[in-house]
């Protein structure tokens, strides 16, 4: 799976008008994770000194079994070359936090055992942080993790970079965990890999200057009092696979954010996730093939997509398309599926079919990462 940040959406003559623009997020890199745990009644898992890697499930769901301890290690050449460490802190039944939650250097790290031994005590919460050679939080990668909690399930979603996952003071056990490394935006990207748009779509003029990278994120800016924005496309065509983005939407009613696959001409090859850039949380899933609209579904997100980062995913296969938000399956298309390669794109824009309302204040679409 590649991990790459980009931005874009459908428009006439799009690929004739795209201009090179330099941004960067680390593509697939030799940095990963391997972790093991001790689980009630099962003992050390995986068995035979095996490990779970890069987002795999450690623990159980639906069995009421507590995780009692775990170890986490980095893998890959980057871990050694850059002298990274993975640090982690756990909250233990009857004992509380194993280390100071605000003191990274006191946490367990790089394969240390976290939790209790031979006490049958549950883990209740966890923090993880990737650090550099100086012990400070890494700037070019993030560690993301989510936990399955007694009675609450996966309801907390993905946390990252030292945030607390789980509960403290509620006597709830951690039953499962997933952990993964993702690349942040940094530096500049080879313009042979990405292009930024300079063209008009609907009521929006896309301008490369509205696409910037800072603080490990890609930002698409809608300047105050305008309907201008930004858009980016991959240079290479993409085929069947899984496409996922972590993003926080701008609060700019009358505009939408699109994360999608597209190839010209219009209406022949397209798979869309489109979200209204406003707090009420409306999302549309759409596909086009053979010159026309083949499927469209609108759903309520039941959260404000402008308030925080959420994950949106397209699983594109020859005989179906699945759409997910925060790992929850929302709909499937079984027919009308395009089959030719397409470009992966993301953008924010003001379509003609919504009211003409320029953003009263500067707003930004913020993207942590795109992975496929």
């Amino acid at each position: 799976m590649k991990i790459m940040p980009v931005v874009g959406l459908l428009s006439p003559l799009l690929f004739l008008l795209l201009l090179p623009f330099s941004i960067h997020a680390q593509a697939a890199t030799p940095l990963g994770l391997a972790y093991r745990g001790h689980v009630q009644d099962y003992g050390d898992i995986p068995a035979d000194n095996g490990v779970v890697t890069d987002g795999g499930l450690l623990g159980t769901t639906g069995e009421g079994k507590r995780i009692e301890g775990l170890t986490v290690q980095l893998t890959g050449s980057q871990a050694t070359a850059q002298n990274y460490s993975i640090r982690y802190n756990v909250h233990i039944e009857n004992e509380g936090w194993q280390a100071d939650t605000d003191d990274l250097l006191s946490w367990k790290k790089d394969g240390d055992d976290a939790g209790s031994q031979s006490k049958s005590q549950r883990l209740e919460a966890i923090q993880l942080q990737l650090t550099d050679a100086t012990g400070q939080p890494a700037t070019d990668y993030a560690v993301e993790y989510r936990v399955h909690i007694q009675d609450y399930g996966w309801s907390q979603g993905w946390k990252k970079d030292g945030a607390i996952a789980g509960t403290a003071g509620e006597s709830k056990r951690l039953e499962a965990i997933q952990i993964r490394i993702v690349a942040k935006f940094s530096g500049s990207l080879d313009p042979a890999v990405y292009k930024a748009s300079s063209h008009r779509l609907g009521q929006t003029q896309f301008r490369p200057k509205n696409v910037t990278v800072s603080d490990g994120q890609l930002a698409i800016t809608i300047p105050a009092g305008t309907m201008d924005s930004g858009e980016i496309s991959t240079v290479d065509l993409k085929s069947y696979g899984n496409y996922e983005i972590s993003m926080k939407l701008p609060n700019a009613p009358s505009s939408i954010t699109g994360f999608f696959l597209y190839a010209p001409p219009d209406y022949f090859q397209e798979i869309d996730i489109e979200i209204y850039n406003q707090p009420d949380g409306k999302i549309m899933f759409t596909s086009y093939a053979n010159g026309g609209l083949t499927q469209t579904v609108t759903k309520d997100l039941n959260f404000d997509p402008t308030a925080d980062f959420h994950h949106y995913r397209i699983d594109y296969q020859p005989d179906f398309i699945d759409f997910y938000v925060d790992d929850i399956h929302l709909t499937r298309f079984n027919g009308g599926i395009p089959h030719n390669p397409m470009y992966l794109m993301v953008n924010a824009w003001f379509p003609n079919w919504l009211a003409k309302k320029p953003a009263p204040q500067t707003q930004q679409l913020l993207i942590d990462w795109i992975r496929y």
Side-chain angles (χ1 to χ4, degrees):
M1 172 179 286
K2 294 182 180 178
I3 303 176
M4 52 199 337
V6 295
V7 188
L9 190 64
L10 164 65
S11 75
L13 303 178
L14 175 61
F15 298 93
L16 298 177
L17 297 169
L18 287 171
L19 297 177
F21 182 68
S22 181
I23 60 174
H24 173 68
Q26 302 286 345
T29 49
L31 183 65
L33 287 166
Y35 43 105
R36 294 176 44 77
H38 190 89
V39 176
Q40 176 185 357
D41 296 338
Y42 288 107
D44 293 335
I45 60 170
D48 301 323
N49 293 317
V51 294
V52 177
T53 61
D54 301 319
L57 182 72
L58 174 67
T60 64
T61 61
E63 297 186 35
K65 306 294 185 185
R66 64 182 175 267
I67 297 177
E68 298 175 356
L70 82 165
T71 66
V72 189
Q73 288 184 297
L74 293 173
T75 61
S77 59
Q78 281 280 57
T80 301
Q82 301 297 327
N83 200 20
Y84 291 123
S85 286
I86 184 68
R87 299 175 186 267
Y88 41 103
N89 187 25
V90 296
H91 190 278
I92 306 168
E93 176 186 1
N94 297 329
E95 297 183 14
W97 287 103
Q98 200 158 33
D100 185 337
T101 57
D102 296 321
D103 181 8
L104 277 175
L105 299 183
S106 70
W107 296 7
K108 303 291 186 180
K109 68 172 186 174
D110 301 332
D112 291 341
D113 289 322
S116 61
Q117 296 183 358
S118 303
K119 294 183 179 180
S120 300
Q121 292 175 312
R122 61 182 173 265
L123 296 189
E124 299 177 338
I126 189 169
Q127 300 172 279
L128 294 106
Q129 177 71 62
L130 184 69
T131 57
D132 61 19
T134 68
Q136 296 301 305
T139 59
D140 47 359
Y141 294 93
V143 57
E144 291 195 338
Y145 43 98
R146 67 170 186 159
V147 294
H148 192 277
I149 308 166
Q150 176 186 352
D151 298 334
Y152 298 151
W154 299 107
S155 62
Q156 287 188 349
W158 289 89
K159 305 289 187 178
K160 68 176 183 179
D161 293 340
I164 294 173
T167 64
E170 296 188 35
S171 300
K172 303 292 186 185
R173 62 181 172 266
L174 297 189
E175 299 177 338
I177 187 170
Q178 294 174 279
I179 314 171
R180 64 191 184 192
I181 297 290
V182 295
K184 295 181 179 180
F185 290 86
S186 62
S188 62
L189 187 66
D190 184 348
V193 179
Y194 294 101
K195 293 180 180 180
S197 304
S198 180
H199 72 100
R200 192 168 187 84
L201 173 62
Q203 303 179 77
T204 296
Q205 181 66 42
F206 292 124
R207 304 181 190 277
K209 69 179 182 180
N210 292 329
V211 181
T212 56
V213 174
S214 64
D215 298 326
Q217 295 174 337
L218 185 147
I220 303 295
T221 298
I222 303 173
T226 77
M227 291 183 285
D228 289 356
S229 189
E231 173 178 88
I232 289 182
S233 165
T234 58
V235 171
D236 292 338
L237 292 162
K238 310 303 176 188
S239 189
Y240 306 118
N242 301 332
Y243 301 87
E244 186 176 14
I245 187 170
S246 173
M247 59 183 176
K248 177 183 177 183
L249 272 57
N251 189 348
S254 295
S255 70
I256 60 175
T257 287
F259 174 59
F260 62 102
L261 294 155
Y262 167 81
D266 289 354
Y267 310 120
F268 276 80
Q269 305 289 328
E270 188 172 356
I271 300 169
D272 297 330
I273 292 177
E274 296 176 303
I275 312 152
Y276 288 84
N277 293 329
Q278 54 198 50
D280 58 6
K282 295 283 187 182
I283 187 168
M284 299 178 292
F285 307 104
T286 309
S287 63
Y288 295 84
N290 304 317
L293 175 69
T294 57
Q295 302 268 7
T296 184
V297 172
T298 300
K299 298 272 189 179
D300 290 320
L301 288 173
N302 298 316
F303 61 77
D304 177 0
T306 72
D308 205 349
F309 286 86
H310 294 272
H311 299 176
Y312 305 86
R313 187 171 98 227
I314 300 169
D315 287 1
Y316 171 41
Q317 299 300 326
D319 54 350
F320 67 88
I321 307 167
D322 280 333
F323 297 94
Y324 294 80
V325 176
D326 291 335
D327 299 297
I328 298 173
H329 182 255
L330 291 189
T331 196
R332 167 174 284 197
F333 294 169
N334 288 305
I337 298 171
H339 294 292
N340 292 331
M342 294 172 278
Y343 298 93
L344 181 62
M345 308 179 71
V346 187
N347 76 356
W349 66 295
F350 293 77
N352 288 323
W353 42 269
L354 289 176
K356 185 177 181 179
K357 293 182 179 179
Q361 298 177 329
T362 297
Q363 293 289 323
Q364 289 186 318
L365 166 63
L366 297 177
I367 300 171
D368 265 348
W369 48 257
I370 290 177
R371 22 187 307 136
Y372 66 88

